[in-house]
Amino acid sequence: MNDILPDPVLSVRDLQIGIGNKLKIVHGVSFDILPGETYGLVGESGSGKSVTGLSIMGLLKRPLNVTGGALHFLGHDLRRIRPRDHRRLRGDRMAMVFQEPMTALNPLAPIGRQIAEMFVIHRGMDWSEAKAKAVEALESVRVPSPEERARAYPHQLSGGMRQRVMVAMALACRPDLLIADEPTTALDVTVQAGVLELIADLCTAEGTAVLLISHDLGVIANMCQRVGVMDRGRLVEEQDTKALFENPMHPYTRGLLAARPRLGSRVPGERGRLIELEQMVADEDRGHDVPTLVTPRGPRKEVTA
Amino acid sequence: MSRFILRRVLQMIPTILAVVLIIFVIFSVVPGSFVSSLLAEGRNVTNAQVVSHLNEQFGLDQPLPVRLWDYLSGLVQGDLGTSYRTREPVWQTIAPRLWPSIKLALAAMVLAAGVGIPLGFLAALKPGSVFDSATMVVAVSGLSLPEFWFGLLLMYAFALQLGWLPSFGYQPGSISHVILPAIALGVSPMALLARTTRSGVLDVMNADFVRTGRAKGVSEPRLVRAHVARNVLVLVLTTMGLQIGALMGQAIVIEKLFSWPGIGSLLVDSVATRDIPVVQGTVLVIVLWFLIINMLVDIAYAVIDPRIKVG
């Protein structure tokens, strides 16, 4: 079956992230992202989704670092790559959109200039050429009157507009992989859909693979072809999106699905915090068991390093 | 912008009024007067008739509200009064002292900013390094150093022992004379700026937009230059403004030590002789300097930070 699949853009194998040997946050996560595919990582806060994304970008903050496993991106071994070469990949071949559009942009620089910087760094353009390209990039994310907006400062734009700017910036150099870490969590529900649609449209048009990190199952369901479910630093289930929603196999996934708020459901106990749900075991009791990875081929024990 | 400046100038008036009032009240409460200070100098003014004549001449026989009113009505017309001692208009006593004082304050600030800010930056870029620790030890020492003692040390080393620089005095246009007093005066704002810059850089380096910059593939030197520096400057500017403003007043000790003919040494001399009109005038000048610097800092904010609107 493998021989008909194209080479993955990103291949994560038994990824471990922690602080030296003392603290482990991610305990051996493995997944592949194929070219043009949108892969969702879903899980509770603190399940290790974000640090997984940051580790791919090489942006883990000390003292956090990758302590084991392998990260391959377009033929580059990201664990052995020189920091300088990793930096050249960032923004150019792999890009990231963060959760907080309000603080993710430099407050003292016009947004056009901040987008233009991408072309200056990665394409060696001069500023005037780069700024013209930045206006085009703003146009592509459907920012109205882009030429005028390019001169605006972040504080003059709404949260939704800023996130569009972030998307324009991330996709400026037509990367092979976009990591979107909760890209719409901080936005109004009314603008969430617009931003997600934008990411989907642009990435489909350019064949950009997307790693979508979210705790919002609705977002995941609409955007992703495949989903990985993370729980306490482990990937516990990986399935095609449709299959996952129709037939979740891992108890954690079932809990996650049951924890979704449903319109009109007011009965207490019908939905609630994950740990309060019947099929879930209380946090303290979960402490020692190792979650098992459930695949369509049946459960298997999590690989230990 | 001009409306902003006008409004700020108008806002200075109550501050100035308050300062005038406070000085008037203080000097009417403290023991001694100009006449008694003449006595202390050994001049023969024991004669009651002479004393009352002098008091009458200077208007010191008038009650406080009357004197205050006279002073204020003169101030409105730009008249700072007449010195008891020299019998010259106060403005003429202060004016030649103004430039030496400004020169010293600016020289101290150029030194403080020119050394303190880069030191703070370098320390913050390698937090916890030997350089960082050494810089902060020096900064804390700089803050705790008594100025006059440090000034004496400088004099001893560079003037007496090495003979590189003049030990004291002022010469118009001379740079060598300003170096030692500027170092002595600048060391504490330098230490403060180094610390403020360091914490500012550490703060900004943790900001989300810096992470965005890294995610864009911006190199660290470029990140610091193009994104961090300006954001830090906004933070440092406040400290810098307050320091330049305060320097004129802080210079009193240093000016006396280096026989620097500035506002500070004039103030000390005038207080000693209870030459109240000159005291009033010099304090007013120091306050005005502070207010003007503050206004300039606010304007600078608006230039650097687009989020701040002036007007």
Side-chain angles (χ1 to χ4, degrees), chain B residues 205-238:
Chain B
M205 287 302 264
N206 274 319
D208 283 353
F209 71 82
V210 170
R211 186 181 58 181
T212 305
R214 293 201 176 107
K216 281 161 80 176
V218 180
S219 66
E220 289 295 309
R222 194 199 154 85
L223 197 61
V224 171
R225 213 166 358 103
H227 295 283
V228 176
R230 244 160 77 106
N231 279 280
V232 173
L233 192 60
V234 176
L235 300 174
V236 170
L237 206 63
T238 315

Side-chain angles (χ1 to χ4, degrees), chain B residues 154-224:
Chain B
L154 287 175
M155 271 183 186
Y156 178 77
F158 293 99
L160 236 66
Q161 292 297 316
L162 297 167
W164 291 353
L165 294 163
S167 55
F168 64 88
Y170 173 80
Q171 261 171 28
S174 159
I175 292 185
S176 63
H177 280 83
V178 82
I179 294 178
L180 288 186
I183 293 176
L185 187 59
V187 72
S188 111
M190 182 205 296
L192 198 64
L193 277 177
R195 285 188 64 94
T196 317
T197 307
R198 177 179 179 272
S199 65
V201 172
L202 288 179
D203 229 38
V204 174
M205 287 302 264
N206 274 319
D208 283 353
F209 71 82
V210 170
R211 186 181 58 181
T212 305
R214 293 201 176 107
K216 281 161 80 176
V218 180
S219 66
E220 289 295 309
R222 194 199 154 85
L223 197 61
V224 171

Side-chain angles (χ1 to χ4, degrees), chain A residues 175-250:
Chain A
D176 296 286
L177 175 68
L178 173 71
I179 300 174
D181 186 359
E182 306 267 9
T184 56
T185 306
L187 300 179
D188 264 344
V189 183
T190 44
V191 289
Q192 280 186 3
V195 171
L196 288 173
E197 195 187 337
L198 188 74
I199 293 175
D201 286 359
L202 292 175
C203 291
T204 309
E206 292 291 334
T208 308
V210 180
L211 173 59
L212 181 65
I213 297 168
S214 183
H215 66 267
D216 186 333
L217 286 158
V219 169
I220 296 282
N222 286 326
M223 296 278 293
C224 303
Q225 283 98 55
R226 286 192 303 141
V227 187
V229 181
M230 278 187 80
D231 174 28
R232 286 164 294 152
R234 288 184 172 84
L235 200 66
V236 293
E237 177 161 5
E238 183 183 81
Q239 286 219 61
D240 288 348
T241 309
K242 203 161 166 266
L244 182 92
F245 277 85
E246 281 170 1
N247 183 24
M249 290 188 218
H250 196 279

